[in-house]
Amino acid sequence: MITRRNFTAGAATLLAAGHISTRARAATVSWDMSTVWPDGNFHTQNAFAFAEEVKKQSGGTVSITVKAGGQLGFKGPEHLRAVRDGLVPLADVLNIQQVGDEPFMGVESIPFLCGSVDELKVLHKYVRPEYEKIAARNNQKILYIVPWPTQYLHLKAKVADVEGLKNIKIRVPDKNAVEMLNAIGMAAVMIPWGETIPALASGAVAGVSTSSVSGVDGKFWEFLKYVYPTNHVWSSQMLTVNLDSWKALSGDQQKLVADVAAKMEPGFWANSLKADVDSLNRLKEGGMEVVPVSQAMMTDIRAKTAPQLDAFLKRVPAADKPVKAYLAEMKRG
C-alpha cells in the first residue's frame, strides 16, 4: 500500500537522483576546436595529442574534437573574434594575424628581434603576460602557446642580393611582414593561408614568406624552386578557450585542463624544432634548393628593416617595456 510517507520519500529519492543526473550531465563537456592547418601539420598534431590527453585525464568528461583544415569555416585572422564571440569554444590562434584587433600581437614579427628559439623563450617571458591580458579582454584564456619554426623566403627566382628581390610579389601573413618586405624592395601581399595556394597556382604571387612546415603543407615544390633561410621573423600559435565555456567547467576540470596544457607545452616547442628539420628535408626531396644567404645580403636586409623596431614601439606603446626588458637581458638594449 502506498502511503503518503512512502510517496514523499520516493519522490525525494527521485528528485535527488534527478539532481545527480543533472550534475553529471553538466559535468560532461564537448568542445570543437578550430584550426586552419591540415591534419599533418605539427600544430594540429599537437592539438590532437592535447585533446587525447585531456579526454584521458578527465575520464571523458572533457572532450575536444579538433576540426582541422578550416572545417568550421573560420579563416586564421578571424579566430580571435570567433572565440571571443563564442562562435567556437576553442581555436588555434596565430598571434600575428590578430594585429588588426590587437596590435601588440605582432611583437614577434619585429624583424630580427629574435635570432633563435632560445631567444624567443626569453622574449616570451616578457610578452606572455601581455598576451594573457589581451586574451582576457577578448573573453578568452590561453591554454598553451607554441611557436612556428624559423622563417624562410620561398621563391621562384634565384637571387644573390637584395637587388634581386626587387618587385617580387610575395605572400605574407600579417601587416608587419608587409612593411618589412616592402622595405627591402619586394611587393608584399597579405593573404590568409587558405588562399595562398590558389595565389601561387594562378601566378598572383611568385613567393611566400613562411616556415618550412607551411611549405610542406602547401607542396611548394609544385610552384617554387628556392628556399632562403633568412630567419627574419617569428610567430606563435595560441590555443585559446572562450571564457564562458571555460567557466562552465568545474574547478577540478579547469585545473586538469590547465595542468595538461602546461605539462605538454615544452614538448610542443620541441616538436616545432623537429618539424623544421623534417620539413626542410622534405622541401629538398621535392626538388627545392636551399640557397645560403650571404653575410652581405643579410647585412643589407637588416639595415633596411632596422627602423621597424622603433616604429613598432611607437605605434604600440604597450610593447615598449617588455621589448626593452628583453633587449636588456639579451644585452642589446
Side-chain angles (χ1 to χ4, degrees):
M1 182 177 183
I2 299 177
T3 65
R4 178 182 177 86
R5 180 177 179 180
N6 289 341
F7 177 83
T8 302
T13 300
L14 287 171
L15 186 60
H19 284 166
I20 292 170
S21 175
T22 299
R23 286 199 300 272
R25 286 196 301 272
T28 301
V29 174
S30 295
W31 286 338
D32 282 343
M33 179 197 139
S34 179
T35 178
V36 299
W37 312 115
D39 285 355
N41 185 284
F42 81 96
H43 283 297
T44 307
Q45 291 296 309
N46 287 344
F48 283 134
F50 174 71
E52 182 178 350
E53 189 64 17
V54 166
K55 187 174 184 178
K56 176 183 173 183
Q57 294 290 337
S58 69
T61 65
V62 181
S63 178
I64 299 170
T65 302
V66 179
K67 300 289 188 177
Q71 289 179 52
L72 297 181
F74 301 109
K75 296 179 181 178
E78 299 168 342
H79 269 155
L80 188 73
R81 279 169 279 165
V83 176
R84 180 193 68 194
D85 298 340
L87 301 178
V88 65
L90 287 160
D92 199 18
V93 179
L94 177 54
N95 59 354
I96 59 171
Q97 287 189 325
Q98 316 309 316
V99 295
D101 293 322
E102 294 289 351
F104 186 94
M105 287 286 199
V107 66
E108 292 174 39
S109 64
I110 296 172
F112 305 106
L113 184 61
C114 297
S116 67
V117 170
D118 287 338
E119 289 187 8
L120 186 66
K121 287 179 180 178
V122 177
L123 178 65
H124 273 217
K125 180 172 73 174
Y126 295 104
V127 302
R128 184 157 183 162
E130 298 301 319
Y131 289 157
E132 299 280 4
K133 292 175 189 175
I134 290 169
R137 68 169 172 257
N138 281 274
N139 193 38
Q140 54 206 282
K141 172 184 173 62
I142 296 171
L143 295 177
Y144 62 70
I145 303 177
V146 183
W148 283 91
T150 183
Q151 296 288 293
Y152 300 83
L153 299 181
H154 306 256
L155 304 175
K156 283 186 178 181
K158 189 169 187 178
V159 303
D161 51 30
V162 172
E163 186 65 23
L165 297 173
K166 188 168 287 187
N167 297 323
I168 292 177
K169 282 192 173 181
I170 185 166
R171 173 268 178 185
V172 297
D174 68 294
K175 183 180 177 182
N176 287 345
V178 170
E179 294 176 358
M180 176 193 170
L181 294 182
N182 283 349
I184 62 175
M186 302 187 82
V189 184
M190 190 163 62
I191 300 175
W193 175 251
E195 299 171 18
T196 298
I197 306 310
L200 281 171
S202 69
V205 295
V208 181
S209 171
T210 192
S211 69
S212 58
V213 176
S214 291
V216 172
D217 288 343
K219 298 181 180 178
F220 281 2
W221 53 84
E222 295 181 357
F223 312 99
L224 305 170
K225 295 180 180 294
Y226 304 102
V227 184
Y228 298 81
T230 47
N231 190 22
H232 47 288
V233 292
W234 295 83
S235 61
S236 298
Q237 295 288 148
M238 304 176 172
L239 181 62
T240 70
V241 57
N242 174 274
L243 280 180
D244 299 314
S245 297
W246 180 252
K247 290 171 185 175
L249 298 181
S250 69
D252 287 344
Q253 287 173 321
Q254 289 180 354
K255 184 177 186 307
L256 182 149
V257 173
D259 286 352
V260 169
K263 183 178 180 180
M264 298 186 81
E265 184 174 313
F268 292 164
W269 279 62
N271 291 345
S272 177
L273 289 172
K274 184 177 185 302
D276 180 44
V277 173
D278 293 346
S279 296
L280 197 60
N281 287 334
R282 180 67 187 93
L283 291 176
K284 289 189 283 189
E285 289 170 5
M288 297 186 74
E289 178 186 343
V290 178
V291 182
V293 182
S294 70
Q295 186 59 49
M297 184 174 175
M298 285 304 304
T299 299
D300 200 0
I301 292 174
R302 285 174 176 270
K304 290 180 183 298
T305 59
Q308 284 191 252
L309 170 59
D310 288 340
F312 186 92
L313 298 183
K314 184 176 181 180
R315 186 170 70 250
V316 188
D320 188 80
K321 184 176 179 181
V323 168
K324 286 183 176 175
Y326 158 76
L327 291 173
E329 182 164 339
M330 292 290 100
K331 296 182 168 42
R332 287 161 50 198

